[in-house]
Amino acid sequence: MAEVKESRVNQLDAAALDEQLLSILYGRVNEALKYFKAGLFTRIRPELQALLKLVVWKLTLYSNGSTIGQNLLNLEYKHADSACSLSPRRAVLFAFLNVGLPWLKERLEDLVRPFATSEHMSKVRNGVEWIETTIKIGNMVNFLIFLQQGKYCLLSERVLRIRNMSSTVQPLRQVQNEYMNRELLWHGFAEFLTFVLPLINVHPIKNMLWRLIFSWKATPTSVEARTYADATHCAVCGKWPIIPYDIGCKHVYCYYCISSNVLAEERFRCPSCGVRANGINSLRPVSVISNPLLTG
């Protein structure tokens, strides 16, 4: 039977979710205890943390064989050799390694102090530091091996020979070729449009459609026929002309509006009367027109 390896990402995510859950519980407990006398629960902080871990362990790993993070990611602890569910004995040993030993590290000096001299206490501290350093090195080496092999995310898992395995049989995901072909075709077409559209000059197309639609009512005009009403709005944007220019007809344009259109289409036609411009040199400034809204 081929060995099935669970995703490294799922295993790391499950461990991170469990740590986040404990962090949230610690925060809620600290929030509830902040109204008591300051320092009242400081002395029993290791016991409170161990108690919370034991409660979570009892409700999750001991009862269901999986932590909350594993349950969310469809994982559970199983024996590495037989792929059997986690036994109560290994669950208790797991709690001892992950709950009991950290508590013992915090309380070892307090437990030994009544029975030891100062010299013995110094040796105890050195021994605790040495053991802690050894465990940190072991965790680092175990993590490097985990990244290579994908087994035993935690050092305690390697010691107890328990692994993260899928709790249910994962069905084979089948993707139909029609769906994949449609997606590939659409993405290819979208990339083609992204490349081609910036190369297309839309101004001539827009002006050509405008002439086709409204050419039946376009009558060429001259500058002599211009009235004050013609000079109060741009024939392109319809607003008060800013730096007014014309192309030889009675209509007036903002310099930006007419110059951008003429640069895009050299033979631009007036959208109102159809008079043709002859390049950017055909633009002529118009005398300053006072805006009654500004002067009044």
Side-chain angles (χ1 to χ4, degrees), residues 4-231:
V4 179
K5 294 183 179 180
E6 296 301 327
S7 170
R8 295 170 177 81
V9 175
N10 284 351
Q11 297 183 60
L12 293 174
D13 285 345
L17 288 171
D18 294 333
E19 292 180 1
Q20 187 67 24
L21 171 65
L22 290 175
S23 176
I24 293 174
L25 289 177
Y26 293 155
R28 294 296 180 266
V29 171
N30 291 331
E31 187 73 16
L33 298 179
K34 71 178 182 179
Y35 299 104
F36 290 89
K37 183 179 179 180
L40 181 62
F41 294 95
T42 303
R43 293 177 297 176
I44 61 172
R45 179 180 58 83
E47 284 73 21
L48 288 176
Q49 292 181 350
L51 179 61
L52 286 175
K53 288 182 179 181
L54 284 176
V55 170
V56 174
W57 167 81
K58 175 62 175 64
L59 297 177
T60 57
L61 188 61
Y62 187 79
S63 300
N64 302 322
S66 62
T67 64
I68 293 180
Q70 290 174 327
N71 195 25
L72 291 174
L73 296 173
N74 198 31
L75 299 174
E76 66 176 344
Y77 276 130
K78 293 183 179 180
H79 194 276
D81 299 327
S82 60
C84 297
S85 299
L86 184 68
S87 63
R89 176 174 171 270
R90 278 190 167 81
V92 172
L93 291 175
F94 187 87
F96 172 74
L97 294 177
N98 292 278
V99 181
L101 289 184
W103 173 84
L104 185 61
K105 170 185 171 294
E106 294 286 338
R107 287 303 189 194
L108 185 60
E109 291 188 19
D110 296 334
L111 295 174
V112 175
R113 186 175 290 111
F115 310 101
T117 61
S118 59
E119 182 180 355
H120 292 158
M121 289 300 302
S122 177
K123 293 181 179 180
V124 169
R125 294 190 188 95
N126 293 335
V128 171
E129 291 179 359
W130 182 84
I131 294 174
E132 186 177 6
T133 302
T134 303
I135 293 176
K136 289 181 179 179
I137 295 175
N139 285 326
M140 181 185 68
V141 174
N142 177 77
F143 185 72
L144 294 177
I145 298 175
F146 165 75
L147 292 179
Q148 181 183 11
Q149 300 180 355
K151 299 188 297 184
Y152 306 119
C153 179
L154 304 177
L155 182 60
S156 56
E157 297 175 2
R158 185 175 296 275
V159 172
L160 297 176
R161 294 191 61 76
I162 56 177
R163 289 181 51 191
N164 283 293
M165 297 185 182
S166 178
S167 58
T168 58
V169 178
Q170 294 291 336
L172 180 63
R173 183 182 179 186
Q174 297 180 352
V175 181
Q176 297 182 357
N177 292 333
E178 292 79 2
Y179 173 79
M180 296 180 64
N181 292 337
R182 186 168 62 250
E183 288 295 317
L184 291 173
L185 180 62
W186 169 249
H187 284 294
F189 181 67
E191 291 181 358
F192 174 77
L193 291 179
T194 303
F195 174 76
V196 170
L197 286 180
L199 304 178
I200 299 176
N201 188 353
V202 297
H203 288 279
I205 300 175
K206 181 182 67 174
N207 294 330
M208 181 183 66
L209 292 176
W210 182 272
R211 289 194 297 269
L212 289 175
I213 296 173
F214 299 100
S215 59
W216 59 273
K217 66 175 183 178
T219 303
T221 60
S222 61
V223 177
E224 291 74 15
R226 180 181 300 155
T227 63
Y228 181 79
D230 297 324

